[in-house]
Amino acid sequence: MKINKIAIILLALALAASLGTYSPVSAGQPTGYDLVAAVNAYRAANGYYAFNANSLVMAAAQAHADWIVQTGQGGHTGSGGSDETMRVSWTGYGGGASIKCDENWAASSSVEEAIYSAWSDWTHQEVMLNSWGNRYTDAGGGVADWGNGLYVFVLDVCLVEGQSSTGAVPSTNPNSGDAAEAQATADLSNYVYGVNLATPQADGSIKHTVLNGQTLTAIATAYGVTLDELRELNKMAADDSDIWVGEELLIQPAGSALPTPAASPTAAPQAETAPTAVQITPTRIAQAYVPPPTQTAAGAPTATVPAASPAERQTYQIFGILLIAFSGIGLAVMLFISNKR
């Protein structure tokens, strides 16, 4: 059977083109540097100087983001009961000098949602902008795949004692003047809540009160509704994801049936209660990052870890493409030999 040589050539070119257009599975995942760049852009828009993206602070932020996904524990208390300043010191940042750090974290679908929604309350704004008057010089970002389209974002901002920025530091606290701004302020960003389902009211309606660290995406996922449905119920614009701590969102109107919650990396349904504050008193500085045994903190979200990592999924995809390519090339060679005969 004779086959046109042009057809064989076109088949080979098509296979080559399919290989050339391949892109890694994780290509769209944001990075810690994306997070720091977006925070610096936000600072510039509000009249603040830019942070330096420090590689050691970046490493600490990434380690904490990975730890949150691995253990399912949110918050700022990490490996070995550490806080953000301890974790950054373990990297060697400061060269042995005294350092100071603050931290934000969130489980969000994008860098923008983390900055403009999850961190929209005053406490998280302080960490990104004025930091209670601390002139932080360095920043690090960490991003880890949380699953179900969400990522864990960690932002650490730090300084070495005695070294501070000369940039302008206007106050972001609407309730205090410069004198009050210089006083120590409790870090309320440690209180981050999972999305617990609200109890339906007598008329069948469901209303959810937004707590620190919650995003529109996480709330919609927990209640098993789409973002578009949630926006429509609350008369929000099609691209609006801004919500505020204490805001009451309508999840289900009166007379409706309770939606079935989708599987999500959130806390099990229970009454919303504030976790007990834990006072951490560091006794020594560890020399290496040693993850502790897995445990589940009360009120902390439980992560759903994907069966295969992005790297494994990418390897499987490459193998499949190469198998198809070699099969096609073999077929083309056989057809060419048959044509020659």
Side-chain angles (χ1 to χ4, degrees):
M1 181 175 62
K2 294 186 178 293
I3 303 295
N4 194 311
K5 293 182 180 179
I6 296 177
I8 297 174
I9 294 172
L10 290 175
L11 175 61
L13 289 175
L15 290 170
S18 67
L19 289 174
T21 57
Y22 166 74
S23 59
V25 173
S26 59
Q29 176 172 324
T31 68
Y33 285 97
D34 294 333
L35 177 60
V36 173
V39 168
N40 274 335
Y42 183 57
R43 286 174 61 84
N46 285 275
Y48 294 86
Y49 59 89
F51 289 133
N52 171 55
N54 183 280
S55 60
L56 296 178
V57 184
M58 296 287 295
Q62 185 61 53
H64 190 49
D66 292 336
W67 184 85
I68 289 175
V69 170
Q70 291 163 8
T71 64
Q73 299 180 59
H76 305 291
T77 301
S79 172
S82 61
D83 60 21
E84 56 269 25
T85 300
M86 291 176 63
R87 291 191 295 272
V88 173
S89 73
W90 294 348
T91 69
Y93 174 79
S98 179
I99 67 172
K100 181 186 296 183
C101 300
D102 270 310
E103 183 176 79
N104 279 353
W105 90 276
S108 301
S109 62
S110 66
V111 169
E112 292 73 22
E113 185 178 58
I115 293 174
Y116 298 103
S117 182
W119 299 339
S120 61
D121 61 284
W122 177 76
T123 302
H124 291 89
Q125 290 287 301
E126 275 291 300
V127 174
M128 289 190 291
L129 299 178
N130 186 53
S131 302
W132 299 281
N134 294 309
R135 296 173 181 264
Y136 289 123
T137 57
D138 301 306
V143 182
D145 191 345
W146 181 265
N148 294 333
L150 298 177
Y151 301 99
V152 168
F153 295 95
V154 173
L155 172 72
D156 286 333
V157 292
C158 300
L159 60 78
V160 178
E161 295 282 9
Q163 302 176 15
S164 61
S165 170
T166 57
V169 186
S171 172
T172 59
N173 185 348
N175 301 316
S176 66
D178 293 337
E181 195 65 31
Q183 299 175 3
T185 307
D187 185 4
L188 299 179
S189 64
N190 279 292
Y191 300 102
V192 181
Y193 301 85
V195 179
N196 298 320
L197 305 184
T199 302
Q201 299 184 11
D203 61 1
S205 64
I206 298 177
K207 295 179 180 179
H208 178 85
T209 301
V210 179
L211 299 177
N212 271 337
Q214 296 181 348
T215 65
L216 197 67
T217 299
I219 292 170
T221 301
Y223 283 97
V225 299
T226 67
L227 278 173
D228 288 341
E229 290 170 343
L230 196 53
R231 290 184 178 115
E232 183 177 353
L233 282 171
N234 292 277
K235 297 180 173 56
M236 300 170 67
D239 58 348
D240 187 7
S241 293
D242 292 339
I243 54 177
W244 308 93
V245 174
E247 180 180 355
E248 193 173 68
L249 294 176
L250 178 62
I251 305 298
Q252 175 177 285
S256 302
L258 178 65
T260 301
S264 63
T266 57
Q270 59 184 23
E272 291 186 347
T273 57
T276 302
V278 178
Q279 179 66 40
I280 302 298
T281 304
T283 57
R284 64 185 178 86
I285 299 298
Q287 299 302 314
Y289 176 81
V290 181
T294 300
Q295 56 184 353
T296 302
T302 301
T304 302
V305 181
S309 67
E312 291 172 334
R313 294 197 299 269
Q314 178 177 334
T315 300
Y316 299 151
Q317 186 171 353
I318 292 174
F319 179 78
I321 291 175
L322 289 177
L323 183 61
I324 294 172
F326 285 131
S327 299
I329 293 173
L331 176 61
V333 171
M334 292 178 61
L335 292 175
F336 181 78
I337 293 174
S338 174
N339 184 49
K340 291 290 289 184
R341 291 178 179 177

